[in-house]
Amino acid sequence: MKLYSFFRSSASFRVRIALQLKGVSAETVPINLRKSEQDEAAYRKLNPQSLVPALQDDGHFITQSLAILEYLEETHPQPPLLPKAPAERGRVRSLALAVACEIHPLNNSRVLNYLKDKLGADEAARDAWYRNWIAVGLAALEARLAAEKETGRYCHGATPTFADCCLVPQVYNARRFKCDLAPYPTVVRIEGACLALPAFQRAAPEQQPDAV
Amino acid sequence: MKLYSFFRSSASFRVRIALQLKGVSAETVPINLRKSEQDEAAYRKLNPQSLVPALQDDGHFITQSLAILEYLEETHPQPPLLPKAPAERGRVRSLALAVACEIHPLNNSRVLNYLKDKLGADEAARDAWYRNWIAVGLAALEARLAAEKETGRYCHGATPTFADCCLVPQVYNARRFKCDLAPYPTVVRIEGACLALPAFQRAAPEQQPDAV
């Protein structure tokens, strides 16, 4: 199994956490987003979306981090990263998507580049944009995680799920951009519980072979 | 079963298609995004993300359109909207996420409002933004759909899947914003195949009780 990945990519980080939690080893193929290696012809041929991560396994090539998580869950069911009951699975997926669809896409580097190049947004305006979508997204997550009885030590119950695989990389980015996390105590508490686990530690950006 | 929905919401449209394909009836609870009803206290209490769609079923409340599609697939498996093999399921989910994570989040009304209010983008700049992300996203989808052998009458094989549930509403938006679709012949061909089905027709925005 090969994981096309960039150490700082938040979506790659999600997949690395799932691989670690399941004890599945994958060779890292670094795609340096800073050098635009995702746009090179060889990689575009594999993945016309020019995004990381991508997983190569047994002749199959799967893109999009949440599709990769589902694939890993189906091919390596233990330990499960989704609960059993459909409504509970729905809750976990909904929390994961609240990060993957509502926060992260707005803060991709290609979006920040568009703001700079086409709309003339200076660094302060781009940072404000970045922090705004994190704040809106984390506030909604905090409201759910604080209120819903299914929240446990982790986003859903007593073991990590897809939701934690998505939350931790997003909070990592929030810290990197010095967002104020005080309004999100439940989010921060769950992040702490996750980061106490070796799987999350080993998946961290600094621990990757392509980290600089 | 109740679907909190707005006729013009692209994510609501995805869920309506899946409900129609599966022959599951749900009462529509209209949430008028133009009147900001998603931000009213009663709805925020149900859904702190203030987004549509949301599905209420048997005491459960599920948000995020792709989580709802998975929930429907698990609770109403016939006809299936995902293939059986994990790698094929991965391909379908990846195509669906290519719409849901890479195109749609950038063109939400709250994003367009931010561009206007905070970055001073005029209507022409906002329309250019909208069309840019559709063009980037549909070009990547076209490259995959045209090249991959799994593409059939629909995005994946001979029956509609999650991928078609996401593609058709996105192309609907592209048409509404008068995007040039000539570069995406495979996308347009698949849209045509879908729109020939009564399920897709009945799910269309104009057919909804809250359409104006």
Side-chain angles (χ1 to χ4, degrees), chain A residues 14-26:
Chain A
R14 294 173 196 156
V15 174
R16 294 194 304 257
I17 295 168
L19 288 166
Q20 290 286 348
L21 285 167
K22 288 181 176 290
V24 176
S25 65

Side-chain angles (χ1 to χ4, degrees), chain A residues 49 51 60 63-64 67 70 74 86-87 89 93-94 97-98 100-102 105-106 110-111 114 129 132 136 144, chain B residues 49 51 60 63-64 67 70 74 86-87 89 93-94 97-98 100-102 105-106 110-111 114 129 132 136 144:
Chain A
Q49 277 200 293
L51 298 169
H60 303 299
T63 59
Q64 287 288 337
E70 298 274 0
E74 291 174 355
R89 296 163 74 85
R93 288 177 172 132
S94 164
L97 289 160
C101 289
E102 310 302 338
L106 294 160
R110 60 179 189 164
V111 173
Y114 189 103
W129 165 280
N132 175 70
V136 170
R144 291 192 60 182
Chain B
Q49 278 202 292
L51 297 169
H60 304 299
T63 60
Q64 287 289 336
E70 298 274 0
E74 291 173 356
R89 296 162 75 84
R93 287 177 171 131
S94 164
L97 288 159
C101 290
E102 310 303 337
L106 295 160
R110 61 180 189 165
V111 174
Y114 189 103
W129 164 280
N132 174 71
V136 169
R144 290 192 60 183

